[in-house]
Amino acid sequence: MEVIKTVDLTKKFGSFTANKNINISVLEGEIKAIVGENGAGKSTLMNMLYGLLKPTSGEIYLRGRLIHFNSPDDAILNGIGMVHQHFKLVPSLTVYENVLLGVEINKEVSIGNKKFKTFKVDQKQELKLVNDLIEKYKFNINANAYVKDLSIGAKQKVEILKMLYRNVNILIFDEPTAVLTPQEIEMFYETLRELKACGTSIIFITHKLGEVMDIADSVTVIKSGEVIDNLLVKDTNNKHLAQLMVGRDVLMHVEKKYKDYSNASVIYEVNNIKTKNKWGLNCVDDVSFNIRQGEIVGIAGVEGNGQSELVDIISGILKVTDGCIKFNGNDITNFWPDKLRKNKIAFIPEDRYEQGLCKEMTISENMIAGYHDSPDISKYGFISMKKRLQKSIDLINKYDVRVSKIEGLISSLSGGNAQKVIIAREFSSDPDLIIASQPTRGVDIGAIEFIHKSILDLQEKGKSVLLISSELSEIMSLSDRILVMYKGKIIGEVMGKNATREEVGYLMMGITHSEENTNG
Amino acid sequence: MDRKEKLNSLKYSIINSIIPILIAFGIGAIAIILAKENPLSAYGTLFYRSLFNIKGIFNTLHFAGPLILTGLAIAISFKAGLFNMGIEGQLLSAGFVVAVMGNVWGELPKTVLVPLLLVVGVLVGVIVAIIPTMLKAFYNVNEMVVTLLLNYAIIHILQYLTENTFRDPSSGYVSTPRISSNAIPSRIFEDYRLTTFFIVAIVVYVIFYFIMKRSKLGFEITALGQNRNFAEATGMRIQKKIIIIMLASGALAGLAGAGWMMSEKYAYTLSFSGIPGLGWDGMLIALLGSHSPIGILIAAVFYAVVKTGSSNIAIFTSVPYEIVILLQALIVLFLSLKVFVKPKELKLGEPSVPKKRFKNLFKGGKE
Ligand SMILES: Nc1ncnc2c1ncn2[C@@H]1O[C@H](COP(=O)(O)OP(=O)(O)OP(=O)(O)O)[C@@H](O)[C@H]1O
Ligand SMILES: [Mg+2]
């Protein structure tokens, strides 16, 4: 039975059409994947189903009934829930408190045979209800834990619980796996299977076509706001989907030439650096490595093992408590970010809306940020509006950023296109060294191909790259040398050319060669 | 933003400013009726005398001068996500020092003394702003609290100095000696009160406008106000920017104080800046003008109309001058409601983040 059906659903932003005559249907208990390029209109479509955006025209039917949602609350009341990519949880509350946020159960007192609600929250009852849910869906998390102590995968489960508690039977996920580690993705699949077994229909957006193959029943391909095809997963494959999405064949793996860099000059040197996190623990603990000219060094590791802090140090945001960093022989320890940029080091930060972009500013303003005093756009401390816009337009074209209006705000861009703005800005600055942290998070396969090629092109020109990624395949296919971080330390180094997934995988779990041998 | 959208958001900010004003005037009308006057004729007097004849217009502009500056002083600090609530104290200090020096240096020729005193005013404003600025920039002490409290300390210090050390013995009330006539900027037209100080205010306003809109500094300040982490990560030295903005804000307040002293008050009395003070007025103006440069200009003039108009009400009707305080309070009250905001289209995936200020409160959790 069709639980959701859309008829000619259309959404316009001003004169720009983000969704055009979309007709899709979702069956009871199926897992539907939505794929498409950045800016194709996937999130827009989901936002309409969830009541966050109002359709310009067209209809949505829920189990055959025409519906109009004014807000997500309406959607939830009608059984449609959504889990955002950026979670909306309160870190200082426990799991069950988060689940019941806004729908708390108050203790009742009975006087005679009448019951009265008190102001006190009935925590016991709440805890029990949440535990029941956790058990029903085999979620394996502790309802009493504080959200701030949870891993990203567990936080996602809390978001799902929030929806399940509100009795939704259709769940929408917008790029649920973008921030998950490979292990967490496995667990997420488990969760989806459980949900499906309980009769929940699932729609999820993804850029990873492998996931579609792994878990979905059907898939809808969207391109430039229109449905290109609705397929059953068993009738298609990765290559075919990629072809439909992009309209041409996509290289799933870039060709990389491996060279021996052991004689190249060292341009970047990190010596025994340490720093503490806010709890006073050494989150980067005696880390040393170097990067040679023309080399791509990858840092792999399960998220949360000090990579983010290491990147913060390297980008001049966090100070080291010990150790030093040298670039081309000069000491650059604890340099400010602007000075690092002047030294021709470019940065692609991990969190695009936190450090990389300012959502409330325009595309062109973001395109020059960090390089706004370069002489080609500013003179005597004043920025030329014309040159700024021109530069922005050039980069938008060169890096194929899909924008609905040239002078729009960053917040009007789709997630992947926002990421491309950072890529464009940093790559175009002609750096000698680029620090790229999760550079392809949330971007489509065509863009991944492009970004990977750009990284290799830089290398061709003799520039160096430090690549930090939780995407193991990305690290493996680009790096000349792979360092693995575990608990704040670099516990192993593997040459990229003959690295195996197993070898790196073991290191990521903290198992070094010697231990492996003694154990085995 | 394209044209249409700009117009649209302009429309909303205008509606957002006008509706509270209308409600405030509506409630004000009740107060006027209670004072046994006809509200229409009272408001008629207010607007007619300050807006619809040449003398009134120049009078209004004369009052608008310092208001433009204090409004700007608040707005630029808001723009950077800072809250300089110390405009009033900075303005009073500048006014006081200018009053004293305008008397001491009375022999200097006008062409030297007037610019000199304006510079002195600016410096005093900056000096007073230094304490909260340094506390904020180096120790991250909340600037709002420090600037706010400092006002009260300053008011009392100046009161002491005026009543004792610098009191003019020949004056019948508590006041410093009058500034020399060489310290008074010349009138633009012989018959109207508008002085060259207004031109100074406008020039400063235009300079700031360009700096904020077009310069590297303005760009960085905007970025800082919107997203501190972003500003820091893209290499904008935020500590430096905090210092520059807070001191610039103090400088504007100081200039306003100097100008008010030299073009209107001529001596420091305990009611130098009026009730409510010009610094507080600036806050209302920045709010009314929704912190946009043009908005501030319009709001300052509007507010000057109300201020001059209400003295006219007091003269020509039996409604007391304090009606202006009532109106101001009501406008602030209804402005803060902001009921009439444009319904924003939300995007999922990237949900509407809580405004940065609050986010910082919860620092520690990224989600
Ligand atoms: N509020 C808005 N104002 C103007 N244009 C918008 C707005 N929201 C989205 N758009 C535009 O609509 C198009 C579709 O955006 P959407 O977020 O749906 O893309 P998406 O398919 O989710 O992409 P991604 O994979 O990058 O997340 C984009 O070109 C975007 O610029
Ligand atoms: Mg999206």
Side-chain angles (χ1 to χ4, degrees):
Chain A
M1 178 189 158
E2 274 175 355
V3 284
I4 288 188
K5 187 175 142 150
T6 69
V7 176
D8 288 339
L9 204 58
T10 298
K11 177 68 192 177
K12 292 188 177 175
F13 293 107
S15 57
F16 177 83
T17 310
N19 275 180
K20 192 173 170 194
N21 297 338
I22 300 266
N23 295 302
I24 60 164
S25 66
V26 180
L27 302 179
E28 178 116 56
E30 83 164 331
I31 301 183
K32 175 162 210 86
I34 309 273
V35 297
E37 288 179 291
N38 293 131
K42 305 178 294 294
S43 300
T44 305
L45 176 61
M46 294 305 121
N47 290 353
M48 288 194 286
L49 296 182
Y50 189 52
L52 264 177
L53 289 176
K54 278 206 179 136
T56 312
S57 64
E59 289 126 35
I60 303 172
Y61 292 91
L62 182 67
R63 298 177 201 280
R65 191 163 47 86
L66 181 64
I67 46 159
H68 297 280
F69 293 152
N70 289 316
S71 71
D73 291 341
D74 283 356
I76 289 174
L77 278 178
N78 282 287
I80 303 183
M82 180 150 173
V83 175
H84 316 286
Q85 188 181 335
H86 294 246
F87 306 141
K88 295 174 167 176
L89 297 171
V90 184
S92 56
L93 295 182
T94 61
V95 169
Y96 80 88
E97 284 169 329
N98 265 287
V99 171
L100 279 104
L101 200 62
V103 290
E104 290 83 359
I105 302 168
N106 289 22
K107 253 199 180 122
E108 291 184 343
V109 287
S110 33
I111 301 173
N113 50 10
K114 285 220 169 94
K115 285 198 167 163
F116 295 94
K117 279 208 167 139
T118 63
F119 292 112
K120 201 168 153 33
V121 174
D122 190 346
Q123 292 177 322
K124 243 193 198 153
Q125 176 70 9
E126 289 195 343
L127 191 58
K128 183 181 169 305
L129 287 173
V130 173
N131 269 327
D132 287 350
L133 269 183
I134 290 176
E135 205 163 304
K136 179 174 171 198
Y137 292 96
K138 305 198 179 72
F139 267 13
N140 191 24
I141 55 173
N142 177 2
N144 266 318
Y146 285 98
V147 164
K148 61 171 184 273
D149 301 329
L150 298 183
S151 68
I152 297 187
K155 281 180 187 156
Q156 190 177 52
K157 284 187 178 164
V158 182
E159 285 282 3
I160 299 173
L161 280 174
K162 259 167 73 176
M163 290 298 144
L164 293 175
Y165 180 79
R166 288 158 179 79
N167 282 321
V168 308
N169 44 36
I170 301 168
L171 253 180
I172 302 171
F173 294 90
D174 195 347
E175 299 187 30
T177 57
V179 288
L180 299 185
T181 62
Q183 292 87 336
E184 285 174 327
I185 291 176
E186 270 312 316
M187 293 198 302
F188 176 68
Y189 285 173
E190 266 318 301
T191 306
L192 289 192
R193 289 192 192 107
E194 280 304 327
L195 288 168
K196 184 177 162 175
C198 296
T200 309
S201 312
I202 290 156
I203 312 175
F204 76 103
I205 298 178
T206 187
H207 287 296
K208 300 176 192 166
L209 299 179
E211 288 172 1
V212 179
M213 295 299 137
D214 287 346
I215 190 81
D217 300 310
S218 70
V219 51
T220 296
V221 185
I222 299 184
K223 187 172 165 63
S224 312
E226 292 183 78
V227 173
I228 290 284
D229 213 340
N230 283 302
L231 295 154
L232 289 180
V233 167
K234 62 176 167 47
D235 299 336
T236 182
N237 58 41
N238 274 349
K239 231 182 143 137
H240 179 218
L241 281 179
Q243 225 257 322
L244 283 176
M245 267 170 65
V246 188
R248 64 176 166 87
D249 279 328
V250 183
L251 289 177
M252 297 292 202
H253 282 286
V254 282
E255 278 306 316
K256 181 179 163 66
K257 294 186 213 94
Y258 288 97
K259 269 198 273 183
D260 181 14
Y261 291 95
S262 53
N263 292 322
S265 58
V266 170
I267 66 157
Y268 193 77
E269 238 180 296
V270 172
N271 294 318
N272 308 92
I273 57 168
K274 283 183 190 168
T275 201
K276 288 187 169 55
N277 62 14
K278 55 179 178 263
W279 296 287
L281 300 171
N282 273 331
C283 49
V284 173
D285 196 2
D286 205 9
V287 167
S288 303
F289 63 89
N290 59 39
I291 305 172
R292 293 173 187 274
Q293 184 165 12
E295 192 183 27
I296 300 180
V297 175
I299 295 190
V302 176
E303 217 155 315
N305 274 290
Q307 301 98 311
S308 303
E309 288 83 0
L310 178 67
V311 173
D312 277 351
I313 292 177
I314 291 175
S315 13
I317 293 166
L318 201 63
K319 281 191 171 175
V320 300
T321 51
D322 209 351
C324 73
I325 302 177
K326 284 185 182 156
F327 185 58
N328 286 329
N330 304 321
D331 191 348
I332 56 161
T333 321
N334 291 343
F335 266 30
W336 289 82
D338 56 338
K339 269 193 130 174
L340 294 174
R341 281 196 163 80
K342 291 244 160 62
N343 274 290
K344 301 197 98 173
I345 305 179
F347 303 95
I348 298 168
E350 164 183 39
D351 192 330
R352 73 175 80 113
Y353 295 119
E354 207 39 56
Q355 296 184 352
L357 297 168
C358 183
K359 286 175 85 172
E360 294 82 0
M361 291 172 86
T362 64
I363 298 169
S364 69
E365 283 173 320
N366 275 280
M367 278 287 194
I368 61 161
Y371 303 98
H372 48 284
D373 54 359
S374 93
D376 60 327
I377 45 167
S378 79
K379 231 187 219 161
Y380 313 117
F382 280 84
I383 297 170
S384 155
M385 295 292 132
K386 228 174 96 191
K387 286 181 183 157
R388 184 183 86 190
L389 190 60
Q390 192 52 50
K391 180 171 178 180
S392 171
I393 292 172
D394 291 346
L395 290 176
I396 284 172
N397 292 333
K398 184 167 173 212
Y399 287 84
D400 189 25
V401 185
R402 312 275 169 90
V403 305
S404 48
K405 27 181 205 300
I406 294 283
E407 260 302 61
L409 297 180
I410 284 290
S411 57
S412 75
L413 291 185
S414 76
N417 282 301
Q419 179 71 12
K420 286 198 218 164
V421 171
I422 304 180
I423 301 280
R425 177 180 75 205
E426 300 298 331
F427 274 63
S428 65
S429 70
D430 186 29
D432 285 339
L433 169 66
I434 190 157
I435 314 286
S437 188
Q438 320 289 357
T440 57
R441 187 172 271 177
V443 305
D444 64 46
I445 45 169
I448 291 178
E449 180 192 4
F450 178 80
I451 293 169
H452 285 178
K453 267 193 192 153
S454 309
I455 289 179
L456 294 178
D457 282 350
L458 269 186
Q459 176 178 38
E460 284 284 294
K461 289 190 213 143
K463 317 288 179 170
S464 313
V465 180
L466 180 66
L467 175 70
I468 301 95
S469 175
S470 50
E471 202 72 56
L472 193 51
S473 53
E474 179 163 77
I475 296 264
M476 304 262 304
S477 61
L478 292 178
S479 315
D480 297 299
R481 200 146 51 87
I482 302 169
L483 310 174
V484 182
M485 255 187 116
Y486 181 74
K487 292 202 172 154
K489 290 183 192 292
I490 289 186
I491 68 158
E493 180 177 321
V494 187
M495 295 312 286
K497 193 173 177 183
N498 33 32
T500 62
R501 280 189 90 90
E502 287 68 37
E503 194 179 6
V504 181
Y506 272 125
L507 286 170
M508 283 167 71
M509 288 186 284
I511 302 167
T512 54
H513 258 303
S514 49
E515 280 175 61
E516 224 179 302
N517 292 339
T518 47
N519 290 348
Chain B
M1 278 194 276
D2 61 20
R3 238 217 169 88
K4 212 168 122 195
E5 206 169 297
K6 254 185 188 151
L7 273 178
N8 224 350
S9 80
L10 186 70
K11 200 172 80 194
Y12 276 98
S13 53
I14 291 175
I15 292 177
N16 259 326
S17 304
I18 286 184
I19 293 198
I21 294 174
L22 291 181
I23 300 178
F25 273 77
I27 298 180
I30 300 174
I32 295 175
I33 292 171
L34 290 179
K36 304 220 163 48
E37 279 282 345
N38 179 348
L40 285 183
S41 69
Y43 286 148
T45 311
L46 190 155
F47 285 107
Y48 179 77
R49 293 209 168 257
S50 46
L51 212 51
F52 293 102
N53 62 66
I54 299 278
K55 183 164 182 246
I57 289 176
F58 282 128
N59 225 344
T60 299
L61 292 181
H62 172 67
F63 280 100
L67 293 176
I68 290 170
L69 294 175
T70 52
L72 195 60
I74 302 269
I76 59 167
S77 83
F78 274 26
K79 185 101 182 156
L82 298 165
F83 295 87
N84 179 7
M85 306 296 243
I87 307 288
E88 182 70 14
Q90 291 148 7
L91 174 143
L92 291 177
S93 313
F96 178 82
V97 176
V98 165
V100 172
M101 298 324 286
N103 178 272
V104 174
W105 291 335
E107 300 303 311
L108 292 174
K110 198 182 245 254
T111 42
V112 177
L113 189 55
V114 169
L116 179 66
L117 288 177
L118 289 178
V119 171
V120 167
V122 167
L123 288 179
V124 173
V126 170
I127 290 168
V128 175
I130 280 179
I131 302 170
T133 305
M134 294 304 149
L135 285 174
K136 171 76 186 177
F138 296 108
Y139 302 101
N140 204 17
V141 178
N142 189 318
E143 78 285 0
M144 187 153 47
V145 176
V146 179
T147 49
L148 196 63
L149 293 181
L150 211 51
N151 286 330
Y152 298 101
I154 289 170
I155 288 173
H156 287 105
I157 293 171
L158 294 181
Q159 180 174 357
Y160 175 84
L161 293 176
T162 317
E163 283 170 349
N164 300 286
T165 331
F166 293 99
R167 176 160 184 177
D168 177 9
S170 63
S171 165
Y173 52 96
V174 176
S175 159
T176 61
R178 217 180 123 92
I179 57 173
S180 133
S181 60
N182 287 349
I184 300 173
S186 32
R187 291 185 170 198
I188 300 177
F189 307 102
E190 208 39 58
D191 299 338
Y192 306 113
R193 287 159 84 184
L194 194 67
T195 68
T196 45
F197 172 68
F198 180 72
I199 297 174
V200 173
I202 291 294
V203 169
V204 167
Y205 167 86
V206 171
I207 291 173
F208 266 80
Y209 180 88
F210 269 95
I211 291 181
M212 293 307 283
K213 272 263 169 269
R214 293 291 157 91
S215 77
K216 224 181 88 190
L217 181 68
F219 178 72
E220 298 192 352
I221 287 166
T222 314
L224 167 63
Q226 297 287 3
N227 182 345
R228 207 182 148 136
N229 291 332
F230 164 78
E232 204 167 3
T234 44
M236 310 171 180
R237 305 278 183 97
I238 59 174
Q239 214 168 20
K240 247 194 213 164
K241 289 322 81 89
I242 289 175
I243 296 175
I244 292 176
I245 269 306
M246 289 293 282
L247 296 186
S249 182
L252 286 170
L255 183 63
W260 186 237
M261 174 57 66
M262 292 154 63
S263 65
E264 172 69 21
K265 288 294 181 183
Y266 312 136
Y268 190 87
T269 62
L270 297 183
S271 62
F272 163 67
S273 149
I275 313 168
L278 294 169
W280 305 119
D281 294 341
M283 219 159 281
L284 175 86
I285 287 162
L287 271 176
L288 255 185
S290 38
H291 303 299
S292 90
I294 303 292
I296 288 166
L297 203 58
I298 297 171
V301 173
F302 164 78
Y303 199 66
V305 168
V306 177
K307 264 207 143 163
T308 47
S310 47
S311 16
N312 286 326
I313 292 191
I315 297 169
F316 295 101
T317 73
S318 60
V319 181
Y321 172 82
E322 281 73 17
I323 183 76
V324 67
I325 301 173
L326 179 70
L327 287 176
Q328 175 169 16
L330 289 170
I331 293 174
V332 171
L333 187 66
F334 291 109
L335 261 181
S336 51
L337 283 180
K338 291 255 180 216
V339 192
F340 310 94
V341 281
K342 181 182 172 188
K344 228 190 188 162
E345 295 241 31
L346 281 176
K347 281 196 74 183
L348 264 213
E350 305 89 45
S352 70
V353 265
K355 266 283 170 239
K356 271 281 129 37
R357 289 253 133 206
F358 295 108
K359 211 168 174 188
N360 284 343
L361 287 181
F362 298 128
K363 231 178 183 152
K366 273 195 173 172
E367 279 72 35

